[in-house]
Amino acid sequence: MCGVFGVYLTEDEDVGFSKLATFAYFGIYSLQHRGQESAGICSYVNGEIVRIANKGLVLDAISKEDIKNLKGKVAISHVRYSTAGDDSFENIQPIVRSSSRFGEVAIVHNGNLTNYHLIRRMLEKNGVNLKCTSDTEVFLGLLDVVEKDNSIASHILDEELIPYLVSVLKLVEGAYSILMIINGKLIAARDPLGFRPLLMGRRKDAIVFASETCAFDIIEADYWREVKPGEITIVDENGIRTYFFSKSQNTKKCIFEHVYFARPDSLIFSEYPYNVRKKMGMELAKEDDVEADIVIPVPDSGMPAAIGYSQYKNIPYEMGLIRNHYIGRTFIAPSQDIRNLSVLMKLNPNKGIIKDKSVVVIDDSIVRGTTSKRIVNLLKEAGAKEVHMRIASPPVIGPCYYGIDTPTKEELMASHMSVEDIRKFIGANSLKYLSLEGLMRSVQDPDSFCDACFTDNYPVEIKL
Ligand code: SF4
């Protein structure tokens, strides 16, 4: 997962340390939950790209002093956690390249290309030198080597750029929501199946793009619409233009965005994750006959589902686990060591609530099982009489190749263990997952979602 943000000022150019930088900075600040390894911003001034990027959270990676250098009308910004390529400095986004056709160009990307290795080999054969090991740079590398694709009658203003962009986007496969700066234009594009969200907003003085609407709220921009699957949108001094390089019959939006990743208060895929998660909790309750004294969430992402479960079952909802908010999200920490440590540092049982109670504890998912085991332990140590673990999504049995870091089947407990074996491993009195049908009843238009990590039905082939 990653978070992307882009802004084009429609009024005067920004001469430094005001609107442009503020929007680009706070845009990714509110998307911090989508990636915590690194953060970066770049803007375009006088034909050159100015880039500020570093490892760490937005607050640490980008200083007030740095953003004084961000001037002009257009900027893109990014928070990253690595799904392709390591977390080295070269892979921090935005990625900037000098293009023989378009001068300095920059890109930010959320997703994963499924034919990256093929494209990389093709580029290297053509003498294109790639400095990153992540898949994002190939978009820019391809811009210099592809032939024009004239299948779209492009507006005269974009006649040089559009045929090349269409060629690039027809070559890459997989998941991508991207923002680019090319020739001072802000360009947004989304893959034909629309795996990852990409939204457009506006203020009276700016057009903005972001992975989630929470990035619009923080800068007081209004949500406008989604960038549609297969769409390219260009914003420049001549206004906004939209082209379609692919007309999808079916989308494959990532259902895990609703299960776990997106912020509950964001509007993505036309729904609020909060509402979807609450419905997931209600569906889980419908499928469950356990009796308990209290329902507690694993904070924060288990909270809406626990509220739904508690309301449906009429069992009191309590805050039985208190989260230290200053530790990163467990699932997206890059190595096992750091993950173990952060589970220990992150949650503390509320003993006054837990002691002598039969507890239903609700989490959004079990991926590696480390967090669940630790939580059951914590609750038992705090005096819980019984711990019934309930998961508001089905067992994750397959890795994601479309932008989420679950790299191998071996790491996914449910791929090789039965529910009963997992229950024993985590030490709960009982364990139950939401059914796939129950999950799909929780979203509008269920056929428009990817569910491959629960079903092994992958919508796009992985090419090595
Ligand atoms: S495989 Fe799972 S996590 Fe990946 S895009 Fe599909 S639903 Fe989302």
Side-chain angles (χ1 to χ4, degrees), residues 51 86-95 131-134:
R51 177 176 179 271
D86 55 33
D87 65 348
S88 61
F89 271 98
E90 295 70 42
N91 289 334
I92 296 176
Q93 298 190 30
I95 288 172
K131 60 180 183 186
C132 309
T133 54
S134 83

Side-chain angles (χ1 to χ4, degrees), residues 195-196 254-256 399-402 404 450-453 458:
F195 280 101
R196 301 281 149 221
C254 172
I255 198 139
F256 232 93
C400 178
Y401 301 105
Y402 315 125
I404 288 183
C450 172
D451 57 14
C453 50
Y458 289 93

Side-chain angles (χ1 to χ4, degrees), residues 280-301:
M280 284 157 40
M282 290 186 164
E283 291 293 338
L284 183 59
K286 275 186 211 169
E287 296 174 357
D288 196 7
D289 55 10
V290 76
E291 290 185 3
D293 301 316
I294 53 171
V295 176
I296 68 165
V298 175
D300 290 333
S301 49

Side-chain angles (χ1 to χ4, degrees), residues 97-103 128 139-146 164 168:
R97 264 185 83 86
S98 190
S99 153
S100 56
R101 284 176 175 153
F102 299 105
V128 176
F139 288 95
L140 303 183
L142 282 170
L143 266 182
D144 275 346
V145 297
V146 290
Y164 290 116
V168 171

Side-chain angles (χ1 to χ4, degrees), residues 221-293:
D222 295 322
Y223 168 62
W224 184 358
R225 67 173 180 85
E226 276 195 24
V227 175
K228 296 194 180 72
E231 174 181 339
I232 303 171
T233 292
I234 297 190
V235 188
D236 63 13
E237 68 271 17
N238 298 303
I240 303 167
R241 295 171 304 286
T242 284
Y243 307 94
F244 282 90
F245 63 94
S246 166
K247 288 265 184 219
S248 313
Q249 326 302 315
N250 285 315
T251 57
K252 286 293 167 196
K253 301 171 292 190
C254 172
I255 198 139
F256 232 93
E257 292 275 354
H258 277 312
V259 170
Y260 175 78
F261 278 107
R263 245 174 61 165
D265 54 333
S266 285
L267 181 70
I268 56 152
F269 306 146
S270 311
E271 286 183 88
Y272 287 96
Y274 180 87
N275 295 346
V276 173
R277 287 171 197 169
K278 206 171 151 192
K279 278 191 218 155
M280 284 157 40
M282 290 186 164
E283 291 293 338
L284 183 59
K286 275 186 211 169
E287 296 174 357
D288 196 7
D289 55 10
V290 76
E291 290 185 3
D293 301 316

